Amino acid sequence: MKFDKGIVIDGVYFDIPMISLKRTADFLDKFAQRTEDGEFHRELIGVYFNYTLTAGSSEDFGETDYEAFFEKITEPVEFHDISLPIKDGYYSFRCYISGVADEYSKILDNEAVFTGFTCKFIAKSPAKVPRR
């Protein structure tokens, strides 16, 4: 699969060579408990869509500078507004970034090449909530 759309972070577009965009739907409970009769009880808060982004080599970034992207993604802020490409456009949500990783592939005189970039976007609010 070839991704031909970039991502938007806090209104800034980044043309990055995405390798994968993994989505998880995590169910968060206010409480969950099994009673003595063996019955399971829970109060679901909602379903959170969280994403793990994997990008290619820093040499393959389009118009986006890798270092500018890395600076933005590692800003010490509580939350970011992210728009990720989906089938018919973008999925936008507020999230925090729980981890960022990359590794040097080559170190040259005036630049470095990075590979293996990954980061995790954790939703601030549920994408779906139960009907009450």
Side-chain angles (χ1 to χ4, degrees):
M1 168 183 268
K2 181 177 187 294
F3 290 94
D4 60 358
K5 298 178 189 174
I7 67 171
V8 179
I9 305 170
D10 301 327
V12 179
Y13 178 80
F14 292 96
D15 181 17
I16 65 171
M18 281 196 287
I19 292 174
S20 73
L21 186 59
K22 179 182 176 182
R23 176 177 61 184
T24 61
D26 298 313
F27 293 73
L28 184 63
D29 295 311
K30 183 174 181 179
F31 79 88
Q33 179 180 5
R34 189 165 304 278
T35 55
E36 288 182 19
D37 64 0
E39 184 86 16
F40 187 76
H41 303 272
R42 72 189 288 213
E43 184 177 341
L44 180 66
I45 294 172
V47 182
Y48 294 74
F49 293 164
N50 300 315
Y51 293 83
T52 300
L53 168 69
T54 303
S57 170
S58 60
E59 291 180 314
D60 296 330
F61 273 58
E63 297 297 315
T64 297
D65 177 70
Y66 181 79
E67 289 301 321
F69 171 70
F70 191 85
E71 284 300 312
K72 183 64 177 170
I73 208 90
T74 59
E75 282 180 340
V77 298
E78 290 183 0
F79 298 101
H80 289 280
D81 293 313
I82 304 285
S83 294
L84 299 172
I86 57 172
K87 180 181 176 186
D88 295 322
Y90 283 85
Y91 174 68
S92 299
F93 65 113
R94 181 162 273 214
C95 66
Y96 67 92
I97 298 171
S98 69
V100 174
D102 66 4
E103 66 181 276
Y104 284 104
S105 173
K106 292 187 259 184
I107 301 174
L108 308 169
D109 286 340
N110 294 329
E111 69 176 293
V113 176
F114 292 90
T115 59
F117 176 90
T118 60
C119 70
K120 294 181 181 180
F121 303 120
I122 308 299
K124 179 181 183 205
S125 302
K128 297 180 175 186
V129 294
R131 291 184 217 162
R132 303 222 191 267

